[in-house]
Amino acid sequence: MSDQPTSPLPSSSPALAAADGEAKGRLGVLIGTKVTLSIDAMGGDSGPAAVVAGISRSAAKNANLNFIVHGDEAELTKLLKKRKNLKNRVEIRATTGVVTMGEKPSMAMRRTDTSMRSAIDAVRDGEAQAVVSCGNTGALMATSMIRLRKLEGVNRPAIACLWPSRNAGGFNVMLDVGADIRADQQDLLQYAMMGASYARNGLGLERPRVGLLNVGTEEHKGRAELKVAHEMIEKAAGIGSYEYVGFVEGGDIPSDKVDVIVTDGFTGNVALKTGEGTAKFVGDSLKTAFKATPLSRIAALLALTSLRRLQKRIDPRRVNGGVFLGLKGAVVKSHGSADATGVSAAIKLAYELAATGFTDRLAARVASAAASTQTDDQP
């Protein structure tokens, strides 16, 4: 079963903005597809300066991008005046409120004056095709669920991230990495379905390999809900058009054994932060080692090309951006500490998801899977 909806994409889909037969770029994006992104400029640790710098980088690389930027009007106007390439490509939506990193999601979702809510509402109202925010993850998910609503058949939305791997495409998909610390067997099955759909559309894999993260690969290991989920995900492989490889361990996350790693948000978030910390540690250690002696500096010069290639491969900024799966709208969560490079990476991901009509395809997949599961459950 393809993730392409059985009916054509709605006329509002940006994927129809380009002419039929036009050349395709990464993720199957039709070259020339116009997309407007809604950006929460106030949520990150580095403030709107880093966000505007990231927007400027993205705009310089992609002439088909326009932006609605939400936040403090005076500050944003000042920052945008310094970026000549953003002239006539950015609309400012003035807001007075900011969701802080320590704010409780239950409180943040009730506020109507924040840049986060304004950014989400622009997608809800059809003014933009995707939202990008560096803000409070819990608040972003809670507000998105209230304003955009969940897809039919989805119990718990999940955050999916791209993880550098040994696979030919260079990445694996892992979910959930922090939307909800809890996940029962039915949730894990839905994550497998959504993750496979993301890998199919985002990585171009016709039949993604799905694995369930556990403390071992043996079937008798793990919590009770993992054992039940193991059976459910294996049984639904035909419906989801994926290959189930069974339980996988932490060491398999960057391997070429699997394309989609399914886990609960607590475990996924710990793994994500551990991986990012390890990558930074390795990078910093290499820099220190090559500066230690004159001879090591000469060795660094000789290995410069290889070192730059390694640095790029393990740089967490270039895969910055977690995708909220299971919502009626595309939402990309950037790291709160993201710099211009990280923000630009999140914007690129949001553009690609919007330009390929990914949300429409995921909705069709979830609906088909839900209907098939209900049919199978009937006597």
Side-chain angles (χ1 to χ4, degrees), residues 76-209:
L76 289 173
T77 299
K78 182 179 178 180
L79 290 169
L80 289 169
K81 280 183 177 179
K82 300 176 182 178
R83 306 284 179 174
K84 302 300 183 183
N85 67 319
L86 295 181
K87 186 177 181 180
N88 300 323
R89 296 180 63 180
V90 177
E91 175 188 345
I92 298 175
R93 291 284 172 85
T95 60
T96 57
V98 177
V99 176
T100 64
M101 287 299 183
E103 192 166 345
K104 291 184 178 180
S106 58
M107 297 297 294
M109 61 188 285
R110 293 186 176 94
R111 296 175 61 188
T112 61
D113 64 336
T114 65
S115 57
M116 180 181 288
R117 174 153 171 172
S118 181
I120 293 169
D121 282 354
V123 172
R124 184 199 63 174
D125 297 338
E127 298 174 290
Q129 287 79 55
V131 59
V132 177
S133 175
C134 302
N136 180 318
T137 302
L140 183 63
M141 175 58 81
T143 307
S144 296
M145 287 177 61
I146 292 296
R147 306 305 291 172
L148 299 177
R149 302 294 183 183
K150 295 182 292 185
L151 292 175
E152 297 298 328
V154 172
N155 181 36
R156 297 182 194 274
I159 303 176
C161 74
L162 294 176
W163 193 291
S165 78
R166 296 185 181 90
N167 277 324
F171 301 102
N172 290 336
V173 175
M174 186 166 74
L175 73 164
D176 179 24
V177 294
D180 199 319
I181 63 172
R182 300 166 297 171
D184 62 19
Q185 55 266 29
Q186 188 64 39
D187 297 325
L188 294 170
L189 172 61
Q190 289 184 351
Y191 294 170
M193 292 286 187
M194 294 192 294
S197 182
Y198 183 33
R200 192 174 295 109
N201 288 278
L203 302 179
L205 303 174
E206 184 176 350
R207 193 173 179 84
R209 296 164 299 167

Side-chain angles (χ1 to χ4, degrees), residues 4 8-20 22-24 27-38 62 64-66 122-123 126-131 329-330 349-361:
Q4 179 66 42
L9 292 175
S11 57
S12 60
S13 172
L16 298 180
D20 290 341
E22 192 171 1
K24 293 183 178 181
L27 305 196
V29 177
L30 293 172
I31 303 302
T33 303
K34 302 288 186 181
V35 167
T36 297
L37 296 181
S38 182
N62 189 343
N64 299 303
L65 265 173
N66 289 301
V123 172
E127 298 174 290
Q129 287 79 55
V131 59
L349 178 59
Y351 169 78
E352 290 166 341
L353 293 174
T356 55
F358 172 71
T359 300
D360 297 315
R361 299 180 184 215

